[in-house]
Amino acid sequence: MALNEKQNNSVPDSHPRYQSLKFRHKIIDGMKNLVVAEAGLIAHGRGECFDYILGEKTTKTARSAIKAAIAALLLAEKPVISVNGNVAALVPNELVTLSKLLNIPLEINLFYHKEGRIKAIEDVLTKAGAADIKGINEDKMIELEGLESSRRKVELIAKADIIMVPLEDGDRTEALKKLNKKVIAVDLNPLSRTSLWADITIVDNIVRVIPEMIKKAKELKKLDKKQLEEIIKNYNNKLNIQNTLDLIIEYINKQKEKALEDVKL
Ligand code: ATP
């Protein structure tokens, strides 16, 4: 989605923060269309902050987690991708492409309910080409144990073996883990409860993660079961998070040197 005219005047394509501002405006537009909750703006800001200290790029540790995530999704029997407002506002087309490529259903699952929000998200996903969106019909839903928020109401998630939860809150991840579900998280904060609870944590921006997952899915679909299992066997999530933290430290140290050089100029 292009920036509107006024924003375009103030933010040219060459602006060093163009990408970041473009996605910020998608979130703002999403809020105006009911897709994004007010709190989603704050969650996005928290994400932007972590993105900054990761150098706003997909790190090698994120790539390892993406590879493991695709292998796990290809091996899963009943995988589900959970969708919230921010994800629907930021990457609807890419999400639908990934869901079709891996044949994994999309299920809308929201922390903040408001009249018309589910419909607004359903419309965005339908426009992006999604056919059978789950999490819409209350009659088909059951309640997950151990959760107070409206996220407890689920459809396919109840029976899923693996759930991909982009931009998740820790309570739900914890509840899913207690129900013995495998969880794949996408979260820019490597220290969030979600990141620490998940089985596979992709510490990267969802806007880069989904396109990268599409590429990886095309590649890994050619592998057999044994080769996919080998990828999972060689992946260690705790170690990967620690390595991500090391990358942040390295990046900050480089920026520290750069800041001192700039002062000298
Ligand atoms: P937790 O409950 O897991 O400790 P939290 O309270 O921060 O974490 P929320 O605010 O519900 O949980 O979740 C938002 C999370 O999503 C934040 O950790 C934020 O860094 C992350 N986030 C926000 N925008 C993006 C994005 N575009 N890509 C990836 N992660 C994002």
Side-chain angles (χ1 to χ4, degrees):
M1 184 178 59
L3 298 179
N4 69 32
E5 204 181 320
K6 188 161 170 273
Q7 289 150 0
N8 252 338
N9 286 340
S10 53
V11 189
D13 293 14
S14 57
H15 190 289
R17 308 223 47 76
Y18 178 80
Q19 282 299 323
S20 169
L21 292 171
K22 183 178 84 176
F23 288 112
R24 189 178 280 190
H25 285 293
K26 282 194 179 198
I27 289 287
I28 294 169
D29 289 340
M31 195 197 71
K32 289 180 187 159
N33 300 335
L34 273 183
V35 170
V36 172
E38 283 89 343
L41 266 72
I42 298 166
H44 186 79
R46 181 178 286 172
E48 280 183 340
C49 178
F50 281 99
D51 208 3
Y52 222 105
I53 59 170
L54 281 158
E56 292 176 306
K57 61 176 191 298
T58 301
T59 60
K60 56 185 178 199
T61 52
R63 279 183 209 287
S64 305
I66 287 172
K67 189 175 171 188
I70 295 294
L73 290 170
L74 285 168
L75 287 168
E77 281 174 19
K78 290 180 183 168
V80 176
I81 300 175
S82 178
V83 184
N84 70 6
N86 283 40
V87 176
L90 291 171
V91 280
N93 298 318
E94 296 82 348
L95 201 65
V96 172
T97 303
L98 183 70
S99 141
K100 286 185 176 169
L101 191 63
L102 294 173
N103 198 18
I104 300 180
L106 298 174
E107 178 163 334
I108 299 173
N109 187 268
L110 309 175
F111 192 95
Y112 295 100
H113 264 271
K114 191 173 187 177
E115 215 184 318
R117 267 197 84 207
I118 289 192
K119 174 84 178 81
I121 295 173
E122 182 191 358
D123 288 350
V124 166
L125 295 175
T126 305
K127 202 170 155 214
D132 185 20
I133 305 158
K134 304 294 177 186
I136 293 166
N137 190 341
E138 287 257 350
D139 298 341
K140 292 187 184 166
M141 297 199 194
I142 62 158
E143 295 195 359
L144 282 184
E145 275 171 44
L147 263 183
E148 294 294 318
S149 82
S150 56
R151 291 202 130 168
R152 70 186 183 281
K153 291 185 186 164
V154 294
E155 193 176 331
L156 292 186
I157 287 172
K159 294 234 165 91
D161 53 349
I162 297 198
I163 303 140
M164 177 161 142
V165 288
L167 284 55
E168 188 57 82
D169 71 287
D171 289 2
R172 181 153 170 265
T173 311
E174 190 179 342
L176 292 174
K177 284 308 303 164
K178 284 187 177 156
L179 293 168
N180 285 326
K181 310 284 184 193
K182 289 252 177 289
V183 174
I184 297 170
V186 181
D187 193 330
L188 276 160
N189 177 1
L191 297 172
S192 74
R193 291 173 304 151
T194 293
S195 288
L196 300 175
W197 270 99
D199 297 275
I200 299 174
T201 308
I202 304 169
V203 181
D204 194 9
N205 198 321
I206 191 76
V207 305
R208 293 188 297 267
V209 170
I210 304 294
E212 199 53 43
M213 285 183 87
I214 293 170
K215 272 195 227 157
K216 246 316 148 214
K218 288 179 183 163
E219 197 185 312
L220 297 195
K221 269 181 113 176
K222 296 174 194 146
L223 303 188
D224 62 30
K225 194 168 173 238
K226 219 168 149 234
Q227 289 171 308
L228 294 171
E229 283 168 352
E230 199 61 23
I231 293 173
I232 307 284
K233 215 176 98 195
N234 292 329
Y235 178 78
N236 178 332
N237 201 50
K238 291 265 175 291
L239 186 63
N240 208 53
I241 291 177
Q242 285 175 335
N243 290 341
T244 303
L245 292 170
D246 281 338
L247 289 179
I248 291 177
I249 294 166
E250 247 173 61
Y251 181 75
I252 296 286
N253 278 333
K254 265 195 207 135
Q255 295 308 306
K256 188 174 148 192
E257 279 168 30
K258 205 167 156 250
L260 291 175
E261 277 168 25
D262 288 348
V263 170
K264 275 185 227 148
L265 291 173

